[in-house]
Amino acid sequence: MSATPADASQGGSIDHVLTEDRLFPPSAEFTKNAVISTQDQYEQLYAAARDTPDDFWRDQANEHLHWFEPFSEVCQWEAPDAKWFVGGKTNACYNCVDAHVEAGRGDKTAIIWEGEPGDKRTLSYRELQTEVAKCAEAYQQLGVGLGDVVSIYMPMTPELAIAMLACARIGAIHSVIFAGFSAESIADRNNDASAKLMITSDGLNRRGKVLPLKQTVDEALDKSTTVEKCLVLRRTGGDDTPMTEGRDVWWHDVVDTQPGVLPATPLESETPLFILYTSGSTGKPKGILHTTAGYNLWARRTFEWVFDHRDDDIYWCTADCGWITGHSYIVYGPMTAGATCLMYEGAPNHPAEDRFWDLVEKYKVTILYTAPTAVRAFIKWGDEHVDKHDLSSLRLLGSVGEGINPEAWMWYHEKIGGGKCPIVDTWWQTETGGIMMSPLPGITPTKPGSCTKPLPGVIPKIVDEIGNEVDSEHGGKLCISQPWPGMLRGIWGDPKRFVDQYFSDVPGQYLTGDNARRDSDGYYWIMGRIDDVINVSGHRLSTIEVESALVSHPDVCEAAVVGRPDDLKGQAIAAFVTTTNREVNDEFLKELKQHVRKQIGALAQPDDIRFTSALPKTRSGKIMRRLLRDVAAGRELAGDTSTLEDLASIASLQEKD
Ligand code: 6R9
């Protein structure tokens, strides 16, 4: 059987070639104290959310959010439009901050912050309440109110979280733009969202250097037609920050001088909370819209279930607030749950490669949530940086953003978790608002590389190209067949793209854009993006499985595989590999091909292997296979590259052609 490359992205079932049979049950001690501690408890929650969703979510919302006015209806669903907790009034900022002060927990530490240069700050929930109220008062003074969009382009400082929460306090909509994007990207996002206020800082500390954020913002504002004011935080100092009279104001002048008493506004449940731009595989970035009550509840409950949160935890999510992970698991989830969050401003390798472990030791972090790309970097940097530190405070580890290759999982488990911490491999998306599939650390035996089972309220389906469910042996397109409170409510200003992208394939179901399979234990394995499937002689292979086979070789650090056109096979497998220290030669190349063949069979053996010093990644750390496809096929780079971290790595790959 042969296939053309075009077939590769059309869906259908996928061959599964990598077998993983290691199983890691949680320790009896972890289970004993866990929030969800028996399989029965999970099954009851899961069945209730599936079979009687209105009753289930009514109780959840009443118990876990504050309501200024009760809702009258739990969910109105007419695909693709969902409305949750209709008629009710709540406020996400109130739930994150004021609720704890009201309940007598105002002295609890909300944020422990450390800047890259080593400066430190902690904020209790009470202090956070005052800061957030001041910021909201400043917004009002600057003419920002309900429904106005505020663009935030800031370093990872407490003021970034404060700026987000202050929007929520008055019903303004934040659009956080990762502080690494270009002026062009900022302007596009400002214009698409009709942003009224822009918030930034003079500069940002990165690996000991100061990046002049305000200069970039000035360039962006020249092309942003709707922004009226720009609020500037002094972070890095110096006298050379350009300020435009009448437009730009300093944070210390307009925020710090406010009384800090403004209460949270009661807001309709479906009031827009934020827009977050995410790059589509082609075309311009999409502004994913989330609204207040449903998102807030989903962020809170998923945080509590998955991270087994307890009052004395020191929780650290290493993401930047510029990504959904920072929104849901630095700000809205943990803060609604009243957690103590560590927030770190800088790079993981400044001043040295042990910065993260220094932070874990110093602050006695108990829960660490990071990304596979970081784990692979730590492996490459060497165990000696980890060995210097006492990581015994850790009790739970999390992973998000990409599939974690089983060998990286094992290193994370042994080296960071000391063999005792459960790992929660959390699968979700900007669009889903919060975690959808993940182990529950007290009850789920984990398998390296699997995100295991769906959370209560998540009904996954694996379908072929015409929407029929496929049998569990084979992978297919992953859909979600019931609405859940945290789901996106639209693409800002583009209702047609919203339907086309997420709801047109299988009527009434949300199409995730990922492929997955379910094993005989009911565990889910994410197989990568639908567009990334490789079709070799009619066999559809998942990128992650071939990559994981490569990464399991001791001298391979990271791997990305893509299909390239091949006259005979339809597609051939091209692999891009970074190595630890080994010299690159023909012998190594042969050994690697042999290794993959042994691990997963001849079919998946790469035809080409290219060694490179770095893989092209999005700024949030995901491997950009789309660009590598072009490189492998010798094509010009196409599509949107605005989220690309390292164009230089692409350039060096092309030079080798
Ligand atoms: C939270 C986040 C979403 C895409 C998603 C999938 C990939 C995320 C994953 C994972 C395998 C995991 N992804 N977590 N793949 N295992 N645990 O990353 O959101 O930036 O929107 O990306 O990331 O492909 O569809 P977002």
Side-chain angles (χ1 to χ4, degrees), residues 67-71 84-92 146 171 265-273 291-294:
W67 293 96
F68 295 99
E69 280 174 35
F71 52 89
W84 283 84
F85 311 118
V86 183
K89 286 192 176 170
T90 184
N91 183 293
L146 183 71
T265 313
L267 298 169
E268 298 277 352
S269 294
E270 286 295 339
T271 306
L273 178 61
T291 59
T292 299

Side-chain angles (χ1 to χ4, degrees), residues 276-279 288 323-326 329 369 372 399-404 424-435 437-438 449-451 478 510 512-515 525-530 532 544 618 620 622 625:
L276 184 58
Y277 284 87
T278 157
S279 61
I288 302 299
W323 313 118
I324 191 68
T325 306
Y329 299 109
Y369 191 28
S399 172
V400 60
E402 287 181 292
I404 179 161
V424 287
D425 176 357
T426 62
W427 173 82
W428 58 295
Q429 308 177 298
T430 303
E431 292 87 341
T432 68
I435 298 168
M437 294 205 241
S438 168
S450 168
C451 59
L478 177 63
Y510 168 76
T512 66
D514 284 346
N515 283 313
W525 299 77
I526 302 298
M527 302 175 91
R529 303 290 300 165
I530 290 172
D532 289 341
I544 180 102
T618 65
S620 62
K622 294 185 213 297
R625 295 182 190 76

Side-chain angles (χ1 to χ4, degrees), residues 23-39 308 310 394-397 409 413 417-424 439-446:
L23 194 69
F24 297 86
S27 68
E29 198 199 329
F30 195 103
T31 303
K32 193 171 74 197
N33 300 314
V35 171
I36 296 182
S37 61
T38 65
Q39 199 62 39
D308 188 53
R310 290 192 229 142
L394 288 170
R395 68 179 191 92
L396 178 59
L397 303 175
W409 193 103
H413 176 70
K420 70 171 175 32
C421 304
I423 296 180
V424 287
L440 295 173
I443 58 163
T444 314
T446 47

Side-chain angles (χ1 to χ4, degrees), residues 254-272:
V254 299
V255 178
D256 292 349
T257 51
Q258 301 289 339
V261 294
L262 185 76
T265 313
L267 298 169
E268 298 277 352
S269 294
E270 286 295 339
T271 306

Side-chain angles (χ1 to χ4, degrees), residues 108-227:
K108 184 171 177 185
T109 302
I111 298 176
I112 304 172
W113 174 80
E114 191 169 305
E116 195 184 73
D119 42 346
K120 301 175 179 66
R121 198 170 154 200
T122 60
L123 283 162
S124 67
Y125 275 98
R126 191 189 320 281
E127 288 164 333
L128 186 60
Q129 184 184 40
T130 307
E131 296 301 315
V132 168
K134 283 183 180 181
C135 184
E137 287 157 356
Y139 287 169
Q140 290 190 331
Q141 199 172 309
L142 295 170
V144 171
L146 183 71
D148 289 331
V149 175
V150 176
S151 282
I152 303 177
Y153 183 78
M154 289 175 88
M156 278 290 286
T157 52
E159 286 81 2
L160 170 46
I162 290 166
M164 292 164 70
L165 290 164
C167 287
R169 198 168 190 79
I170 58 170
I173 306 166
H174 57 75
S175 164
V176 183
I177 303 169
F178 174 66
F181 279 121
S182 64
E184 197 73 34
S185 308
I186 304 169
D188 284 350
R189 287 158 174 75
N190 282 345
N191 291 334
D192 187 76
S194 307
K196 192 166 179 186
L197 173 69
M198 174 100 222
I199 310 181
T200 189
S201 69
D202 51 354
L204 172 146
N205 297 299
R206 195 71 183 173
R207 292 198 183 87
K209 293 209 182 77
V210 169
L211 307 182
L213 285 198
K214 178 61 169 49
Q215 270 178 30
T216 309
V217 164
D218 277 349
E219 229 181 283
L221 291 186
D222 285 345
K223 297 181 201 133
S224 305
T225 48
T226 57
V227 175

